[in-house]
Structure formats: C-alpha cells, structure tokens
C-alpha cells in the first residue's frame, strides 16, 4: 500500500480538516471505518478524543477572575443606571477621589432636593462630607445614598456596609433605612453602623448624642452613648449588645478586635478589608477555632501569618484567592 | 466559610455580593464549557454565561429554585445557548449543516468533565515525542506544517504520531472506563 492511500493518514487528514465533526467522503477512509464494528467504534472514540482535547484547552484557558471583573463592572454600571438614574453617583476609591467628592458635595445647597450616592469597593475605604455637612467614614464594600426631601424636611439615607457617621446638628431629622425594616433616626450625633448584607447582625455603636432605632414591627430602642444595639436579621429583634463598643470602632484605626471571634468570621472581615476570597477547607475549623486579641497588620499575608502563629492552621494564596487548611 | 450551593444561593437572595462572587467562581468555567459545546464559539460562550450571572444577580429576589442550584444553572445555560443559536441563525451567521450536540443534563456534564480530566492525565502519559506533537496540534492549535518545521520531521511522521497517540489515548481511557 503506497503512503498516499494509507487510510490512517486519510482519517487524520479528515480529523484535522473538519475537527471530526462529520464523516469522511474519502473512499479509502470510509472503507477502513466500515471494515469492522471494532473499527467503527474506534473511529467514534477517536473523534471524541480529538474534539475533547480542544474543549479541554478551552476549559483550561478560561480565566475566572478576569471574567469576574467584567461581570462585576457591568453589574455596578447596571445598578447605577437603573436605580440612580437621576442621582449623582460616586465611587469612592482612595484619597484623591474623596477630596474631590467633599468639594463637589459642598457646592450643593443643603436645603434643596437632591440625591447623592457614594460607594466604596471591597478593600477600599474613604471619608465623605454629605451636603448637610455630616461626615461619613465609609468602610469597604459600602453604599450610601443621601436624599434631602424638602416636603417632609427630612434627610433620608439608605445604607449597606459599615460606616462611622458624624451627623451635623439640624432640626431636620436624619433617617437611615438599613435593611429588613430597621430604621435609625438621629438629630446631631456620632455613631458607627455595621450593616453588611451577608451578616447575621446589624450593629449600631453610639459614641455621642442620641439614636432611636425602630424595627418593621415597631420595636423601638433608644441608645445612649457607649451602648451597642444589635439587630438580629433572622428574627428581627433588637437587643443591647454586651460587647465592648470601642472594639466595633477599631476598623477606623485599621484594627480588628476579636472577642472570641470564630475563624469563619475573621475570614469574612478579611475578605472585606483586603478584597480577597478566603475558603476554609475544613468547615469544622471555621466554627471551632476562636481568636481573642487585636489584629493590626498592614497586609493580608501579615494577618494570615499572625493567625497561623496563633492556631494550627496554614494557608495557601493564589492571586486573590486564599485557602486555609488544618496544619 | 465554604457554604454548600443551596446556602450560597440563599445568601445571594439575601443580597450577599460576596456569596454571589463565590457562586460565580464555583460554576463559571463549568457553565462556559457547557455552553461552548453547544455554540462552538469561545467568546460567545463566555458572554452568554456572564450575561446569565448578571441576570441572576439582578433578578435574585424573584428567582425560586425548586431542585438543585446546579440543575437550575445548567438549565438556564442550556436555554441561553439555544437562544444564542437561534439569534445567530436569524442573523444568517449559523454555519450550514452544523449540528449542535445533543443537550445534556448536568449529570452528563459532570461525567464529561471527568472524561476531560482523565484525558488530560492520559495525554501526560504519552511518550515524550507523541505528547509533544499532540499538545502542539490539539492544545496549542499549531498547523501540521508548522509542527513539522519546528520538530524537523515530515508531516507524514507527524500524522503517524497523532494516530499512535489516538490509539494510546483510547486504550488509556478504556482502562479507566471513561470511553
């Protein structure tokens, strides 16, 4: 048999040209396939292997984190378009941006109807001054929209995330709608509000003045300075939290105070602060390992090294993804 | 921290963007592969799946999942693929005579993933020279003529090596009961 008529070569040619998506027309190739059931089966398998090898290459080439950024960006754009079409929206990231926002917001007249939305990315923090002169230090992953309603003469705020508010004194109430029906009403005061969508509790820490909290079921709690109110999202109950109020303010000094805090919660905090994803390989250690103390490290690896020094865990980091395992 | 699919989706419904990003990480590549098998278009597949996740986030409060999250996502991906193919056909861009493969269920998809993983292992076991040729052609998509030039062997030799590789890979997959 001369090499030009080698059926194997013909079949490879066919796979190469059509990616194995059809049956060959070539007589020599057809004859080989039809010689026996075994050959027919072999040919089917070869086509599958040939095509699959390309699929595997495609599968391996997909970069999840790059594509996540595309999706994330489009969702943020979409949310701006749909929800705040007529509002000013600011994404706060870094100092330069926040200085700019203070300037822009101060131009707005405080007693006119207008809306403004500020947002911080995961890993970013910033400070803004609202049109009424109130200043807000935003922790990462927070969104605040402010609206002055001249009819009801109220300063209306919608908020998720964590922030320290210093509300300017005014006879117009400053009302924050948090989530699950929880509302805070304040006049002039300073307090920290921790209200991340993923958390079980929403915590308000009052440092001065007065805050009145109201739930959807009209449960009312009046906070005095030094007290912490905890709103349990699962049963919508408001209670006074026995925790140390100073510890809840630690984020402004880059400190995380841990009072017997489970590893799982420490990880959630780190994810927000450093914009990373942390997976705990063994779910049992997420709840069973607890930490007490204060973390004040600069980088995520410093924090993780510190945690590994305190307990029998180790970690592996690839880009923004961290996996924690038992040692 | 590592929630199961169901709890992760519940957290998404409760507005957790972190949970949403984890869900994305968990399913994105698998869904892309699934869509790619239908559309045969790399970029379009990733677009289709990204669109699916954007809709998932936007409509999270309305979505109710009756069976598993995985079954729900693969069903949504299947519908999105069919819509895409339909729109391509309307644009007269669909390749003539190209048949989309039969629609699989998600369990078949898991099987196919296992098949791919095993194939990769078998490729790694090929004799050095055959592996080189196979990887260059199938993974790096080099033309036979280019491979022949690079390795300084005839195209005929390369075709022979590809045939031998297919023989070996089939045996290897058969031994693992994957084909």
């Amino acid at each position: 048999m001369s090499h030009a008529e080698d059926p194997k070569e013909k079949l490879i040619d066919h796979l190469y040209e059509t990616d194995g998506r059809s049956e060959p027309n070539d007589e020599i190739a057809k004859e080989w396939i039809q010689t026996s059931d075994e050959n027919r089966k072999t040919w089917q398998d070869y086509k599958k292997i040939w095509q699959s090898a390309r699929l595997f290459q495609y599968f391996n080439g997909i970069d999840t984190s790059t594509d996540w950024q595309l999706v994330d960006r489009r969702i943020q754009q979409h949310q701006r378009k749909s929800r705040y079409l007529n509002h000013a929206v600011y994404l706060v990231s870094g100092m330069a941006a926040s200085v700019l926002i203070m300037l822009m917001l101060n131009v707005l007249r405080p007693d006119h109807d207008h809306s403004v939305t500020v947002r911080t990315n995961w890993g970013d923090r910033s400070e803004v001054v609202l049109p009424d002169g109130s200043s807000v230090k935003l922790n990462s992953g927070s969104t605040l929209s402010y609206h002055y309603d001249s009819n009801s003469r109220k300063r209306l705020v919608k908020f998720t995330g964590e922030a320290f508010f210093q509300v300017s004194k005014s006879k117009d109430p400053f009302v924050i709608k948090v989530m699950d029906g929880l509302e805070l009403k304040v006049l002039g005061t300073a307090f920290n509000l921790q209200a991340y969508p993923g958390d079980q509790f929403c915590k308000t820490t009052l440092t001065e003045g007065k805050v009145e909290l109201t739930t959807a079921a009209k449960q009312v709690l009046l906070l005095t300075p030094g007290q912490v109110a905890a709103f349990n999202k699962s049963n919508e109950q408001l209670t006074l939290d026995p925790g140390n109020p100073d510890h809840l303010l630690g984020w402004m000094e880059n400190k995380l105070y841990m009072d017997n805090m489970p590893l799982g919660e420490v990880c959630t905090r780190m994810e927000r602060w450093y914009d990373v994803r942390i997976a705990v390989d063994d779910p049992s250690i997420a709840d069973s390992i607890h930490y007490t103390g204060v973390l004040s490290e600069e980088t995520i690896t410093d924090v993780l090294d510190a945690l590994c020094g305190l307990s029998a865990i180790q970690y592996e980091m690839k880009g923004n993804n961290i996996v924690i395992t038992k040692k | 921290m590592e929630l199961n699919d169901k709890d992760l989706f519940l957290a998404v419904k409760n507005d957790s963007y972190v949970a949403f990003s984890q869900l994305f990480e968990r399913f994105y590549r698998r869904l892309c592969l699934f869509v790619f098998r239908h559309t045969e278009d790399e970029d379009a597949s990733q677009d289709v799946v990204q669109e699916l996740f954007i809709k998932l986030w936007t409509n999270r409060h309305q979505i109710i999942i009756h069976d598993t999250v995985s079954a729900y996502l693969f069903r949504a991906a299947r519908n999105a693929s069919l819509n895409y193919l339909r729109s391509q056909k309307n644009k007269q861009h669909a390749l003539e005579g190209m048949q989309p493969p039969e629609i699989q269920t998600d369990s078949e998809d898991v099987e196919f993933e296992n098949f791919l993983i095993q194939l990769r292992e078998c490729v790694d076991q090929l004799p050095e020279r055959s592996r080189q040729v196979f990887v260059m052609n199938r993974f790096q998509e080099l033309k036979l003529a280019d491979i022949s030039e690079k390795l300084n062997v005839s195209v005929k030799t390369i075709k022979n090596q590809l045939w031998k590789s297919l023989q070996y890979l089939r045996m290897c997959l058969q031994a693992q009961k994957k084909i």
Side-chain angles (χ1 to χ4, degrees):
Chain A
M1 192 184 281
S2 88
H3 74 87
E5 288 168 345
D6 184 350
K8 292 169 189 171
E9 241 183 89
K10 297 275 186 196
L11 289 164
I12 289 287
D13 282 343
H14 181 76
L15 287 174
Y16 182 66
E17 280 153 21
T18 67
D19 202 36
R21 258 187 243 134
S22 61
E23 294 305 316
N25 289 320
D26 182 85
E27 287 302 326
I28 298 164
K30 271 205 278 195
E31 202 187 306
W32 185 90
I33 296 168
Q34 284 156 8
T35 308
S36 65
D37 279 348
E38 172 58 19
N39 278 16
R40 255 190 291 277
K41 176 79 175 67
T42 305
W43 172 242
Q44 292 309 321
D45 290 348
Y46 284 4
K47 282 200 298 184
K48 185 177 181 188
I49 293 168
W50 190 270
Q51 290 179 348
S52 303
R54 196 168 59 93
L55 288 177
F56 185 86
Q57 191 53 17
Y58 169 70
F59 185 65
N60 247 13
I62 300 171
D63 183 344
T64 307
S65 63
T66 307
D67 290 357
W68 163 251
Q69 283 168 12
L70 294 174
V71 168
D72 180 42
R73 205 173 304 143
R74 283 189 51 204
I75 285 175
Q76 305 306 348
Q77 281 168 358
H78 179 82
Q79 288 182 340
R80 279 180 239 182
K81 260 188 231 151
S82 58
R83 269 198 279 160
Y84 314 120
L85 205 57
N86 303 314
H87 301 187
V89 177
Y90 306 94
L91 171 65
V92 187
S93 83
M95 258 323 278
S98 62
V99 169
L100 182 72
I101 284 162
M102 286 189 205
L103 292 172
M104 287 174 78
L105 299 192
N106 283 333
V107 178
L108 301 168
R109 301 253 323 266
D111 51 352
H112 275 205
D113 279 32
H114 46 236
S115 301
V116 54
T117 298
V118 282
R119 190 168 71 82
T120 50
N121 274 331
W122 295 114
D124 277 342
R125 287 183 199 159
S126 208
E127 183 169 359
V128 296
V129 178
L130 297 175
D132 68 333
S134 299
S135 90
V136 186
K137 285 194 179 101
L138 290 161
N139 203 345
S140 62
S142 303
T143 305
L144 178 153
S145 44
Y146 171 92
H147 172 73
Y148 181 78
D149 183 37
S150 59
N151 289 326
S152 62
R153 300 187 65 85
K154 274 183 185 165
R155 297 173 280 174
L156 303 171
V157 170
K158 280 188 198 156
F159 181 74
T160 60
E162 178 163 28
F164 185 79
F165 290 81
Q166 284 170 294
V167 177
S168 67
K169 284 207 174 12
S170 158
K171 57 185 184 309
D172 302 335
F174 190 96
V175 181
I176 308 176
K177 275 193 195 301
V178 189
M179 54 177 69
D180 299 314
L182 182 67
E183 233 180 69
L184 275 71
K185 200 170 113 186
V186 301
L187 291 164
T189 182
F191 59 96
N192 188 69
L193 177 57
Q194 188 186 63
Y196 282 108
D199 288 353
Q200 164 87 27
F201 290 97
C202 164
K203 289 187 177 176
T204 311
T205 311
L206 188 64
T207 57
E208 58 176 271
K210 268 183 198 160
V211 172
E212 187 183 281
L213 296 97
T214 315
T215 65
K218 302 291 167 213
Q219 188 195 349
V220 179
L221 186 68
L222 194 64
L223 273 190
T224 55
Q227 286 184 325
V228 181
F231 175 68
N232 186 337
K233 281 195 244 168
S234 54
N235 61 13
E236 300 191 358
Q237 289 294 308
L238 263 176
T239 47
L240 281 177
D241 190 294
N244 185 334
D246 289 340
H247 289 185
L248 284 152
L249 307 174
W251 66 270
M252 283 180 280
E253 299 162 327
N254 284 321
K255 282 183 180 152
L256 175 64
Y257 288 93
M258 304 176 293
D259 300 315
N260 204 25
M261 190 183 277
L263 172 63
E265 194 181 336
V266 177
C267 290
T268 308
R269 303 296 183 94
M270 292 303 110
E271 289 187 320
R272 291 172 185 160
W273 283 24
Y274 296 102
D275 191 21
V276 291
R277 309 278 160 265
I278 306 177
V280 180
D281 202 31
D282 179 349
S284 69
I285 58 173
D287 296 324
S288 64
I289 297 178
H290 289 73
Y291 298 95
T292 298
V294 54
L295 284 174
S296 57
E297 314 298 339
E298 284 296 309
T299 66
I300 181 69
T301 46
D302 290 343
V303 172
L304 291 166
D305 289 339
L307 293 178
C308 290
L310 290 168
S311 49
I313 57 166
Q314 57 194 4
Y315 72 95
E316 202 179 317
M317 186 163 178
K318 274 187 198 138
N320 279 342
N321 293 303
I322 294 155
V323 178
I324 292 179
T325 48
K326 253 192 234 177
K327 212 179 285 179
Chain B
M1 283 300 299
E2 191 70 15
L3 295 174
N4 64 34
D5 293 349
K6 191 178 160 215
D7 291 341
L8 202 55
F9 186 73
L10 279 179
V12 171
K13 275 182 84 78
N14 275 324
D15 299 334
S16 167
Y17 200 57
V18 176
F20 176 65
S21 75
Q22 284 172 359
L23 197 71
F24 181 89
E25 204 159 321
R26 203 171 284 183
F27 283 100
Y28 181 66
R29 288 206 319 166
R30 298 175 54 195
L31 290 168
C32 285
L33 178 69
F34 179 78
V35 173
F36 181 65
R37 293 175 71 194
H38 296 103
T39 62
E40 299 274 339
D41 181 326
E42 298 194 2
D43 293 338
S45 305
Q46 272 149 274
D47 285 347
V48 162
V49 179
Q50 285 168 25
E51 200 64 47
L52 189 154
F53 272 100
I54 290 166
K55 279 193 187 139
L56 184 78
W57 177 254
T58 329
N59 301 328
R60 64 191 180 281
H61 298 303
Q62 285 83 47
I63 294 171
I64 296 162
I65 294 183
H66 296 290
D67 41 15
T68 66
V69 175
S70 166
Y72 173 84
L73 289 174
F74 279 97
R75 206 165 46 240
R78 183 191 62 195
N79 292 338
S81 309
L82 292 176
N83 283 341
Y84 171 80
L85 288 173
R86 235 172 265 140
S87 75
Q88 288 305 99
K89 222 166 230 162
N90 291 343
K91 284 188 212 155
Q92 305 261 309
H93 282 173
L95 292 173
E96 285 301 317
M98 202 187 89
Q99 293 287 325
E102 285 293 303
I103 302 296
Q104 310 86 0
T105 64
D106 64 314
S107 69
E108 280 173 63
D109 187 76
V110 170
E111 239 168 72
F112 185 72
E113 269 178 56
N114 290 334
F115 171 81
L116 283 187
I117 292 163
Q118 187 58 48
L119 176 62
R120 174 79 230 201
E121 278 171 25
C122 291
V123 168
D124 287 341
Q125 292 165 22
L126 283 171
E128 176 56 24
R129 197 64 165 183
S130 304
R131 197 182 58 82
Q132 215 175 353
V133 170
F134 191 83
V135 166
M136 281 169 121
N137 175 237
R138 302 312 300 143
F139 289 1
Q140 297 166 6
E141 298 191 340
L142 288 185
K143 292 202 170 87
L144 296 188
D146 296 335
I147 302 172
S148 139
E149 201 171 299
K150 273 201 172 168
L151 300 179
N152 199 22
V153 289
S154 71
V155 170
K156 184 180 157 54
T157 308
I158 285 169
K159 286 184 192 171
N160 262 324
Q161 262 162 350
L162 282 171
W163 183 265
K164 277 190 191 142
S165 298
L166 286 174
Q167 275 181 318
Y168 179 87
L169 291 173
R170 181 167 182 251
M171 263 167 42
C172 176
L173 288 161
Q174 274 173 336
Q176 301 296 327
K177 304 217 181 335
K178 291 284 191 271
I179 203 162

